[in-house]
Amino acid sequence: MTFRCDLHIHSCLSPCGDLTMSPKRIVEEALRHNLDIVALTDHNSALNCPAFFSLATQSGILPICGLEITSREEVHILALFETPSQALSLGEWIYEALAPLSFDPEKYGDQVYVDTDEVILGAVDRYLGQACEYSLEEIIHAIHNHEGLAIPSHIDRPGSGLLDNLGFLLPPEETGFDAIELSKSYWLSPYPLPNQHKYACLASSDAHYPDAIGCLFTLCEMEEKSWKAFAKALKNKNLHIPPLV
Ligand SMILES: [Zn+2]
Ligand SMILES: [Zn+2]
């Protein structure tokens, strides 16, 4: 069976995410775009994952609980998990590695976490858009220790992508990456990247606003809609990116 997946979405918890991006709104938009599998991946925190997990499960969407971590090298990497508790546990570890600088919501944007009815439960007091003090290698190790999947985000994007910051993509046996994500500009005009064919390649919306959800997605060939089958599809590279227009 083929399932439509958007595996990189930011909520109102990300300082750059729109305040309307509550877990409730994200699930509503995901249903409107016929998405089967959706990952919530806020910058350096998973505090909106419990509400998202509950709402998505009720709606029939397979939720994936994640974070988009910024490493010490300024590389963005997605950490994807089966359950909110795994993502929250990694999030606590990341929080300890963020500089406790005073945070100004007026200047950088809100960082709020909410319940299933969009009631604000709290705000994170450390700026989530910063790089944490852990290296990429330490982060990959921690993701795998939490039984998650480690996928560098938009690796071809200037500024926060792996290629711009490190200058190379080593093969999977040397990096430990479970897949790689390529940006929209890559899929509009694909070109060969070193070692790219050795990885499962993903396309995702990286949505920060409701209208962007599902604008870019990956089709996964899976036996059933489950975390286990999803991890297997990545391992076997049973993925397809439809041509963009
Ligand atoms: Zn990013
Ligand atoms: Zn992102």
Side-chain angles (χ1 to χ4, degrees):
M1 286 181 283
T2 304
F3 294 98
R4 189 186 280 231
C5 316
D6 188 347
L7 302 168
H8 185 165
I9 295 177
H10 294 268
S11 77
C12 49
L13 176 59
S14 292
C16 44
D18 197 68
L19 204 52
T20 62
M21 287 290 269
S22 64
K24 187 166 181 255
R25 182 73 187 275
I26 291 170
V27 170
E28 285 168 1
E29 292 295 324
L31 287 171
R32 214 162 63 78
H33 288 89
N34 300 314
L35 294 169
D36 301 299
I37 305 174
V38 175
L40 181 64
T41 54
D42 281 304
H43 288 295
N44 290 323
S45 179
L47 287 170
N48 266 338
C49 282
F52 168 72
F53 186 84
S54 166
L55 290 162
T57 303
Q58 283 167 32
S59 78
I61 289 172
L62 175 69
I64 292 180
C65 298
L67 308 82
E68 185 179 28
I69 302 163
T70 305
S71 76
R72 186 162 70 205
E73 303 89 344
E74 302 272 354
V75 172
H76 286 195
I77 179 164
L78 299 171
L80 304 184
F81 300 97
E82 182 178 13
T83 66
S85 58
Q86 290 167 302
L88 288 168
S89 172
L90 193 78
E92 283 172 21
W93 180 71
I94 294 291
Y95 179 83
E96 296 304 319
L98 297 175
L101 306 169
S102 61
F103 176 69
D104 181 1
E106 290 290 319
K107 203 168 165 186
Y108 297 110
D110 294 293
Q111 303 185 148
V112 294
Y113 51 101
V114 300
D115 68 9
T116 53
D117 295 317
E118 304 181 315
V119 174
I120 293 175
L121 301 174
V124 180
D125 60 354
R126 295 185 183 179
Y127 177 50
L128 293 173
Q130 63 177 303
C132 72
E133 67 182 30
Y134 302 131
S135 69
L136 192 57
E137 197 178 342
E138 288 174 304
I139 292 165
I140 295 165
H141 189 66
I143 294 169
H144 288 154
N145 270 347
H146 284 72
E147 299 181 324
L149 299 167
I151 303 168
S153 326
H154 42 68
I155 68 163
D156 53 308
R157 185 187 292 174
S160 52
L162 179 95
L163 291 174
D164 204 26
N165 284 289
L166 300 188
F168 50 82
L169 174 65
L170 294 171
E173 59 272 21
E174 289 185 58
T175 62
F177 296 143
D178 298 287
I180 54 174
E181 184 198 66
L182 293 148
S183 74
K184 185 173 184 177
S185 56
Y186 174 86
W187 293 111
L188 283 168
S189 180
Y191 51 91
L193 294 170
N195 293 313
Q196 179 197 339
H197 64 286
K198 295 177 182 168
Y199 286 93
C201 296
L202 299 175
S204 317
S205 70
D206 195 3
H208 289 68
Y209 296 87
D211 287 352
I213 292 171
C215 70
L216 201 58
F217 56 89
T218 303
L219 297 172
C220 272
E221 288 298 327
M222 297 160 48
E223 293 151 15
E224 58 175 23
K225 195 160 67 174
S226 70
W227 165 263
K228 210 172 161 186
F230 168 70
K232 192 175 166 188
L234 247 59
K235 196 172 174 71
N236 295 333
K237 296 196 227 112
N238 289 335
L239 311 172
H240 170 66
I241 313 297
L244 305 189
V245 286

